[in-house]
Structure formats: C-alpha cells, structure tokens
Amino acid sequence: MSEFFKGIDKIKYEGKTSTNPLAFKYYDPEEVICGKKMREHLKFALSWWHTMGGDGTDMFGVGTTDKKWGASDPMEIAKAKIDAAAEIMDKLSIDYYCFHDRDIAPEAETLAETNKRLDEITDYMKTKLAGKKLLWGTANCFGNPRYMHGAGTSPSADVFAFAAAQIKKAIECTVKLGGKGYVFWGGREGYETLLNTDMKLEQDNMARLMRMAVDYARSIGFDGDFYIEPKPKEPTKHQYDFDTATVIGFLKKYGLDKDFKMNIEANHATLAQHTFQHELRVARDNGVFGSIDANQGDTLLGWDTDQFPTNIYDATFCMYEVLKAGGFTNGGLNFDSKARRGSFTREDIFHAYIAGMDTFALGLRAAVKLIEDGRIDKFVADRYSSWNTGIGADVISGKATIADLEKYALEKGDVTASLTSGRQEMLESIVNNVLFSL
Ligand code: XLS
Ligand code: CA
Ligand code: CA
C-alpha cells in the first residue's frame, strides 16, 4: 500500500518541553490517569467528512487541498480515503472514526446502486480498518437537492420515505462495522418561514421516523446508543433541535427519551449562545450525556467554523463534565473539525489533530487536578448547604408545605443575611492556579 504521508512517522509523546511540532506534548495514549489510559478516557475519533473529504471549498472559492488521495474514479477515491485514514489513525494513535453514509461511498443514480456501493465499501473498511472502531455512523440527509425542504420533516411523503430508506441502510452499515453509536443531526430539519410550514406535522413526522429507526436497529442487534446532535441554526434559520434542553423536551413529548442521548458539539453550543460546558451539564443532569463533537467556533463569527479545538479552558470544563458523568461509555470525542482553508498541506492534517488532541489531553489533566484539588466542588457544596438540614431538608424530602414555609418566613424576618458571596473572581483565579501549576 502506498504511503500518503511520507516523512511523517508515528507521532510520539515527547512531553511539554519538546519543541518538535510533530510530537504530542500532553497526550500520552498509554499513560494511566485515574485508573484508565488516556486513550480510553478521551476516545478520539477522526471525522471522515472533514479529514478525508473536506478540500477547503467555501462559497467564495474552490478547494485548496486535494482530497482525491491519488485516485480519479469515485469508488477508487472512496477506497483511497480508507487507506489514507488507516495511515492517519495509525500515526496519530486514533482508535475511532465517524462517518455519514455519503462520506464513505458516493451516491449513484439509484438507491439500489448506492446501497451496493455501500456494501462494497463497508466490506473494504472491515478489512482495512480492522483494529479501528466505529464511534458512530449517520446518514447525510441534507446534501442532495431532494432534501431541500428537509428529510424527516419534508412536506413530501415521498422524500420522507426516501430518507427512511437511507437511514435504514446507514444503520445496517453501522451495525456491520460494529459501531456503538448512531447520530441524528437535523440537517435541514427546520424551517425558513412559518408562512409555508406546518411545524406540528413536521415534528410529529420526525419523531415517527426516529421511532421506526430505533425499532429497526434494535431488531437487527444494534446495542449501541442513539444520539441527537443539537444545533440552533444553519443550514435552516430555525433548526428544530435548537439545544439540549429543547431536544429533551422533544424526546419526552414523543416518548423517545429512553432511546436517545446527546451528541454535544462545542461550536453548536456557542451558536445557541451557550457555553460548551452548559450543554454538557444539561445533558449530564438529565441523564442523556452521550458523545462529543470536539471543535470550536470563533467568538467574532456567528457561524459554524468547525475549528480544531485549542481553547484549554473549554477543554478543561468539558473534561470536568465528562469525568463527573463517569466518563464515556459508548461515546467519545469526535473531531468534527477542519484545518483552515489556508492550512492546505497534508502535514497540516497532523498539526491540526496534534493541536486538538493535546488540548484535550491538557483539559483531561487539568480537570483531574481541579477535582482532586477540591476547592471548586467544596465551594459549591457549601453554597447549597442550607438544603442539608432544617427547612431546606424538609423541602427536599417533601415534608414541608407552602403553609409551613409561610410560617417559617414570618418567624424568620429578613433572610438576606443568609446569603454568602458568589466569589466568582476567586473561583476563576483558583482555576487559573490549578491550570498553570500543571
Ligand atoms: C453539522 C454537523 C454534522 C453532524 C453529523 O453541522 O456537525 O456534521 O455532526 O451529521
Ligand atoms: Ca457535528
Ligand atoms: Ca459544526
């Protein structure tokens, strides 16, 4: 097999004093932290669409980098992507990958022919990626013009049926490759104007499609997790899966809450005007924390830039939530990230992943320290200590009635003195202290 990345050896961990750009400074896959190897804590995944397919095309210009991987026929390109992905994953010590059906095999004239291509490609993947694991699969139900008005929420029942057939096949491919996750990201499931939209029917239909997908997947032995990936906007003005809280409401309304967890993407969180940590906390508190799309947006831009993550604070607070959730089970950290259009060489793929992986390795190390240090957790516990005894405990146990509370308040008089300072600045300074003493 030809080597795609000549001159780049397996990336080694050289520690934080290394100045070698092609080395990990913080990610040591085999290092054991809190009883688990770093590679098991972090479960990094390569995203097929960005890394193997994304060539830098944007609305102002054509691609800047070649992602044909030396082939020309579409199916040969698809196979070359698999060979190149295997090399990237080997050299970067990445154990997992994620894909949309159309990322791995190009769509043909008919659905039957497209499905045959998927059979051929997944056979090839099974051999060439033996030893690598599928974190999750999904269906691209947004790229083809047939999905211009949505897929599961299309006004056309025919398009809905086509999407269902496509998702059925994508689930089969996921199961065939041993995938432990299946993602629903609401591609074009949203609307531009209510002047032409029956929002209730669209959402009812989306839930019908999800129920069919879950039932079918379970019937063919899929034992992994289903995820919804919230995103507030883009491509439609109003995406139905706005954020985690909205999605939880949707799942409960349609009785799907036992079947789905969240795939939280950092850049989608910030598009919804939330922090990444907020979305993770909402998922954790509601028992639906599942997987993560690791990337970051740009604070000055209002769209989905899918940059490789380099913000250490965000990575630290993310890993704090992951650790508090008990770590990943079926989920992991998928780099839904692309090197900038100007970072167009093959070597840039490695620099981008090294930056992202080292950032999360640092985030893991910092989050462990933050928890071990204990000052933040203790502060929060103390702040809510009035709920452990007396009237607070009576409210929580359900013993106190509203009349009891009135009696209590009348006797107590002014309660402002029961408050203590929130100490935000002190806490932020503790985080800095922990981070920079690593
Ligand atoms: C797009 C989404 C998408 C999902 C998978 O913004 O991030 O790539 O992760 O369909
Ligand atoms: Ca994503
Ligand atoms: Ca994104």
Side-chain angles (χ1 to χ4, degrees):
M1 194 204 297
S2 65
E3 203 186 1
F4 295 90
F5 300 91
K6 288 200 180 76
I8 298 180
D9 297 330
K10 192 171 172 74
I11 306 301
K12 294 196 189 72
Y13 168 69
E14 292 184 3
K16 63 182 177 186
T17 54
S18 168
T19 54
N20 174 5
L22 289 169
F24 293 122
K25 320 291 181 300
Y26 304 99
Y27 182 55
D28 181 0
E30 302 307 319
E31 184 179 333
V32 175
I33 295 182
C34 297
K36 263 202 306 201
K37 287 183 182 174
M38 282 187 104
R39 70 191 317 151
E40 291 160 359
H41 271 292
L42 295 161
K43 293 181 72 181
F44 290 130
L46 167 145
S47 73
W48 217 266
W49 53 104
H50 286 312
T51 306
M52 308 323 300
D55 68 358
T57 300
D58 69 11
M59 65 253 259
F60 301 102
V62 298
T64 55
T65 182
D66 174 42
K67 291 284 176 77
K68 295 197 175 69
W69 303 103
S72 49
D73 166 75
M75 283 298 276
E76 291 311 313
I77 294 172
K79 287 181 184 164
K81 283 180 182 173
I82 296 164
D83 299 337
E87 189 181 331
I88 295 172
M89 292 170 75
D90 279 340
K91 290 186 170 173
L92 281 164
S93 305
I94 291 178
D95 299 323
Y96 297 85
Y97 59 96
C98 297
F99 63 76
H100 302 81
D101 48 1
R102 304 305 179 240
D103 305 330
I104 56 168
E107 198 161 354
E109 285 296 310
T110 65
L111 182 62
E113 191 52 40
T114 303
N115 287 350
K116 258 196 235 154
R117 287 184 174 187
L118 278 167
D119 292 338
E120 186 183 334
I121 288 295
T122 47
D123 282 346
Y124 194 77
M125 288 170 95
K126 255 179 115 83
T127 328
K128 297 285 170 160
L129 299 177
K132 316 275 187 291
K133 289 170 263 188
L134 175 59
L135 189 69
W136 51 257
T138 188
N140 178 333
C141 290
F142 45 89
N144 190 290
R146 78 174 70 85
Y147 297 126
M148 68 175 83
H149 297 312
T153 64
S154 176
S156 158
D158 285 358
V159 171
F160 180 96
F162 197 103
Q166 192 181 326
I167 289 167
K168 175 175 177 285
K169 185 68 183 173
I171 290 172
E172 288 163 7
C173 293
T174 301
V175 171
K176 175 173 170 183
L177 293 167
K180 289 288 172 206
Y182 187 87
V183 166
F184 278 84
W185 167 61
R188 293 182 195 273
E189 319 295 14
Y191 65 85
E192 298 299 324
T193 171
L194 287 173
L195 291 173
N196 64 15
T197 302
D198 182 341
M199 185 158 80
K200 180 166 188 309
L201 177 64
E202 291 199 359
Q203 291 200 294
D204 288 353
N205 283 344
M206 193 67 226
R208 290 182 179 109
L209 181 58
M210 286 178 171
R211 168 53 54 211
M212 288 180 213
V214 170
D215 290 348
Y216 177 68
R218 297 300 181 212
S219 80
I220 61 164
F222 177 64
D223 61 356
D225 288 329
F226 281 93
Y227 306 115
I228 292 190
E229 183 180 322
K231 183 175 183 179
K233 58 188 93 172
E234 198 204 31
T236 71
K237 181 174 93 172
H238 192 117
Q239 299 277 126
Y240 290 134
D241 297 336
F242 190 92
D243 63 0
T244 303
T246 309
V247 170
I248 289 171
F250 170 89
L251 292 173
K252 284 202 189 300
K253 173 176 176 189
Y254 293 103
L256 290 162
D257 49 314
K258 301 280 174 296
D259 298 299
F260 281 85
K261 293 180 178 169
M262 297 298 138
N263 182 41
I264 306 286
E265 179 177 319
N267 203 165
H268 297 179
T270 50
L271 283 176
Q273 313 273 297
H274 297 309
T275 61
F276 184 20
Q277 188 185 12
H278 168 90
E279 285 293 86
L280 292 164
R281 179 70 64 90
V282 175
R284 171 158 83 84
D285 285 349
N286 287 280
V288 291
F289 167 70
S291 203
I292 289 176
D293 269 10
N295 62 16
Q296 68 187 27
D298 185 300
T299 48
L300 302 183
L301 303 176
W303 59 90
D304 198 13
T305 57
D306 287 349
Q307 289 164 231
F308 270 87
T310 51
N311 185 310
I312 292 162
Y313 289 95
D314 285 344
T316 301
F317 293 131
C318 167
M319 291 315 296
Y320 174 88
E321 296 301 323
V322 173
L323 291 169
K324 289 277 181 181
F328 291 112
T329 50
N330 286 326
L333 280 163
N334 167 45
F335 283 107
D336 191 354
S337 316
K338 56 186 174 196
R340 297 303 82 194
R341 192 169 185 271
S343 305
F344 60 90
T345 71
R346 286 194 180 171
E347 187 177 306
D348 284 303
I349 295 174
F350 281 79
H351 292 304
Y353 272 92
I354 290 169
M357 293 165 79
D358 260 346
T359 299
F360 269 86
L362 205 44
L364 170 66
R365 291 176 189 278
V368 166
K369 277 263 160 23
L370 212 53
I371 293 169
E372 281 171 359
D373 175 272
R375 280 177 285 173
I376 303 283
D377 286 344
K378 180 171 185 310
F379 185 88
V380 175
D382 288 348
R383 189 164 183 239
Y384 292 88
S385 60
S386 69
W387 296 93
N388 299 337
T389 54
I391 195 73
D394 288 349
V395 170
I396 286 181
S397 70
K399 193 175 145 211
T401 65
I402 197 159
D404 294 333
L405 294 175
E406 182 193 39
K407 183 166 174 282
Y408 183 85
L410 285 169
E411 280 166 13
K412 199 83 192 169
D414 184 25
V415 290
T416 316
S418 70
L419 294 172
T420 52
S421 167
R423 297 258 194 272
Q424 183 171 334
E425 298 77 8
M426 180 193 83
L427 297 167
E428 287 168 345
S429 150
I430 290 174
V431 171
N432 281 349
N433 176 233
V434 168
L435 258 168
F436 291 96
S437 58
L438 275 176

